[in-house]
Amino acid sequence: MTPRTVFRIASVAEAVTWTALIAAMVARYGFSAEVPFFFAVGLAHGVVFIAFVAVCVVVGLNQRWAWWAIVLSALAAVPPYGTVVADVVLERRRRLVGGWRLEAGDDPRDAHPIDRMLRWFLNRPWLFVAALVVVVALLTVVALVAGPPV
């Protein structure tokens, strides 16, 4: 699975959860309908939002995006369907082209500790996925404890 595929899956998943959240909010607040799964939809959207931000960081580091490009791509998850727009823009600018950087190359940036750590995790995909799941779960718990956005 390429960085492009991972980014696209996360982007579409975020758009799908936005759709579910908007539909639940319209039903609940627009029609005063009791939506028993409202919390579940909101939770799913929150988890996918956090996962999308993690994907932006991992793909951005792998593709050697500038820090501001990583931040802007992550912020694309804030407005509804912004992730799809970000995906199209990044695709057109060829920022998603290439595979995972599993080995150090001639680039001096490959000696940077973050690049070495990223390669170490990328060479252990199951461990990397498990670590990302733990990070997303912890951030989700923090968000649940902090409460809903104002």
Side-chain angles (χ1 to χ4, degrees):
M1 196 175 296
T2 66
R4 175 185 181 194
T5 304
V6 171
F7 191 87
R8 179 137 315 138
I9 289 169
S11 172
V12 170
E14 175 65 8
V16 167
T17 63
W18 258 120
T19 302
L21 184 63
I22 290 168
M25 288 171 56
V26 166
R28 185 175 192 183
Y29 299 116
F31 298 105
S32 298
E34 184 56 40
V35 183
F37 55 88
F38 189 77
F39 176 78
V41 170
L43 180 62
H45 175 68
V47 169
V48 173
F49 174 86
I50 293 168
F52 178 78
V53 171
V55 165
C56 287
V57 171
V58 170
V59 170
L61 289 173
N62 184 76
Q63 302 300 95
R64 297 190 196 273
W65 297 348
W67 67 268
W68 55 266
I70 295 172
V71 170
L72 285 177
S73 65
L75 287 175
V78 174
Y81 310 109
T83 57
V84 176
V85 174
D87 187 16
V88 170
V89 169
L90 290 168
E91 182 68 30
R92 285 185 182 165
R93 294 184 179 186
R94 303 189 48 78
R95 296 289 187 113
L96 297 171
V97 174
W100 296 107
R101 292 185 299 113
L102 301 175
E103 296 177 5
D106 295 335
D107 194 314
R109 294 175 292 187
D110 282 341
H112 194 273
I114 291 177
D115 282 290
R116 287 197 314 263
M117 183 177 66
L118 180 65
R119 279 193 311 275
W120 187 86
F121 273 111
L122 287 173
N123 281 302
R124 294 156 183 82
W126 291 110
L127 179 62
F128 195 25
V129 169
L132 288 175
V133 166
V134 168
V135 167
V136 169
L138 287 173
L139 290 173
T140 301
V141 169
V142 168
L144 284 171
V145 169
V150 179

